[in-house]
Amino acid sequence: MGFFFSSKLSSCLVGLCITMERGVQRWVVDISGWDPSPQDFSFALSVLPSVEQPSVTRFVQMEDKKRALVSRLLQYALVNEVLAIPYDEIIIKRTLEGKPYLECGDVCTDFPNFNFNASHHGDYIAIASEPLCLVGVDIVSIVIPQKETVIEFIQNFSSYFSSFEWDSIVNAGTSDDILIEFYRYWCLKEAYVKAIGSGVAYGLDRVEFHHSCWTNISVNVEGKAMKEWRFWLLELGKGHLVSIARGHPRSATESYMRTLKQAEFDEEEYHAALHLPNVRFVSRTVEQLIPVSHKGRVHRTSI
C-alpha cells in the first residue's frame, strides 16, 4: 500500500510539474532599435487600460517612456498568452511598495501562485513569471562612470553590501573587474528584494550572496541561509546582466502576501516547483506585444 501510494503521489507531482512549467516564462525586448513615431507610440500606449497610461506619460524623456510602456505591455502580453485572459479583462494592480500583481480570481487554477516581475535598464526590458514560487528579475547595464573613478562610484553604495561582499568587490582585480563584480551583486540583491515585494528601504546589507564562479548562487538573510531560494545570473549582451530570483512565498512582505493564493506548501510540492527548469529568455519585439484584435483597429502602423 505504501509503495502504491508513493508511486501515485510521484505521478501526480510529475503531472503537476508538467502543468506548472507553462507558468515559467522569461521574455526580453531590446528597445534600442525601436524608434516609434508619435502616432505609433500613442497606438501602442492605447493597448493599456486608461488607468495605466499615466505611469508611462509621466516621464519627460522619450527613452524612459519607451521603457515604461514596454514593461507594461510585456505584463499584459504574458498574462494573455499564458492564462488566455483577454486583454480587456486583465486586471493588474500594485501593492503599496509598487509590486505588480494579477487579480485573476479562479482563472489561475492551474497555477497555485501565478506571479510575475519586470525590469528595465539600458536597452533591455525583461519579464519573468512563476507558477508557485515568488519571482524577481533585475537588469543592469554596466555603465562606466564618467565623472568619478570606479572606486569613488561604488563607494556611494558601500552601505548596501555585507563586509564579505564588499571585500569580494574591491578585491576583484582591475577597475573593470571591480565594476562588473559590483553590478553582479547589485543585480542579485535587487532581484531578491523585488521577488519578496519589498521597497528600496529593505536592508540590502542584510542580504548576503555566495556563489561558485557565479553558479550555485545562494543567499543568507540576517546570517541565516535561505535554502528555499534559487538564483541565476546571466549575460544579455551589450554589457547587460539579468538575474532571476525564485523563492518561497512565505518570504513575501505582508502587503504582497495578501495578493497570493497560498503561502504554505508541503515540502515535496514546493521542492518540485523550486526545481522547475529555468527556461531561456525568449526575445520579443514590441509589435509582438500588441494584440491582433488591437492591430485591426487601424490600417497602418510601423511598430
Side-chain angles (χ1 to χ4, degrees):
M1 174 69 79
F3 175 77
F4 173 78
F5 178 78
S6 177
S7 297
K8 187 174 181 180
L9 179 60
S10 297
S11 297
C12 289
L13 283 172
V14 170
L16 178 64
C17 286
I18 293 173
T19 298
M20 288 201 298
E21 282 183 19
R22 292 192 299 108
V24 181
Q25 298 289 330
R26 310 284 188 260
W27 297 4
V28 64
V29 177
D30 181 351
I31 62 166
S32 61
W34 185 45
D35 186 22
S37 67
Q39 294 78 15
D40 287 335
F41 187 86
S42 296
F43 174 67
L45 181 65
S46 69
V47 173
L48 301 179
S50 56
V51 294
E52 286 268 38
Q53 294 179 18
S55 64
V56 175
T57 57
R58 68 186 177 90
F59 291 101
V60 176
Q61 299 297 325
M62 187 60 182
E63 288 302 304
D64 294 327
K65 289 183 179 181
K66 285 165 56 176
R67 294 185 187 100
L69 173 58
V70 174
S71 176
R72 263 64 176 189
L73 289 175
L74 273 170
Q75 295 171 43
Y76 282 85
L78 183 140
V79 169
N80 171 258
E81 182 168 315
V82 176
L83 302 179
I85 304 176
Y87 272 68
D88 57 0
E89 296 179 20
I90 297 172
I91 301 175
I92 295 175
K93 294 186 176 181
R94 283 169 175 76
T95 65
L96 291 174
E97 293 84 4
K99 171 82 169 178
Y101 66 93
L102 176 68
E103 276 204 351
C104 59
D106 296 328
V107 178
C108 307
T109 51
D110 287 344
F111 308 119
N113 268 339
F114 183 76
N115 68 118
F116 54 84
N117 192 227
S119 178
H120 56 78
H121 197 205
D123 292 340
Y124 291 100
I125 298 93
I127 191 167
S129 68
E130 287 287 331
L132 186 153
C133 300
L134 300 181
V135 64
V137 62
D138 191 64
I139 292 177
V140 294
S141 173
I142 301 174
V143 179
I144 299 174
Q146 299 298 313
K147 297 182 179 180
E148 53 190 342
T149 67
V150 167
I151 295 298
E152 289 171 340
F153 169 71
I154 67 170
Q155 194 68 48
N156 298 318
F157 305 92
S158 61
S159 62
Y160 295 108
F161 298 91
S162 71
S163 58
F164 169 81
E165 292 172 328
W166 190 250
D167 286 344
S168 298
I169 292 170
V170 297
N171 293 307
T174 66
S175 291
D176 288 347
D177 294 333
I178 290 172
L179 188 63
I180 292 171
E181 196 81 350
F182 163 80
Y183 275 118
R184 284 169 174 160
Y185 278 109
W186 186 265
C187 194
L188 287 164
K189 285 173 178 280
E190 285 287 325
Y192 173 77
V193 167
K194 293 174 70 178
I196 65 175
S198 177
V200 293
Y202 192 87
L204 291 181
D205 60 313
R206 296 181 294 169
V207 180
E208 181 180 271
F209 282 91
H210 296 260
H211 62 89
S212 300
C213 298
W214 295 106
T215 61
N216 299 319
I217 302 169
S218 61
V219 68
N220 293 349
V221 178
E222 295 184 336
K224 180 182 177 181
M226 305 295 283
K227 297 181 179 179
E228 297 172 325
W229 282 80
R230 297 187 71 195
F231 299 88
W232 295 267
L233 184 66
L234 309 167
E235 293 186 6
L236 279 179
K238 298 192 295 182
H240 293 70
L241 301 173
V242 61
S243 63
I244 300 288
R246 175 193 281 170
H248 205 294
R250 71 164 69 103
S251 301
T253 59
E254 183 179 349
S255 63
Y256 188 45
M257 182 86 71
R258 289 194 292 266
T259 74
L260 301 174
K261 280 189 170 185
Q262 193 174 341
E264 295 296 337
F265 298 88
D266 66 65
E267 185 176 347
E268 195 166 4
E269 182 181 8
Y270 180 72
H271 186 268
L274 182 63
H275 291 277
L276 287 171
N278 182 50
V279 298
R280 292 176 177 271
F281 274 90
V282 176
S283 181
R284 297 287 175 116
T285 65
V286 178
E287 184 174 20
Q288 290 173 326
L289 307 181
I290 308 296
V292 174
S293 59
H294 199 80
K295 293 177 184 177
R297 298 178 190 177
V298 294
H299 295 293
R300 298 180 63 185
T301 178
S302 57
I303 291 177

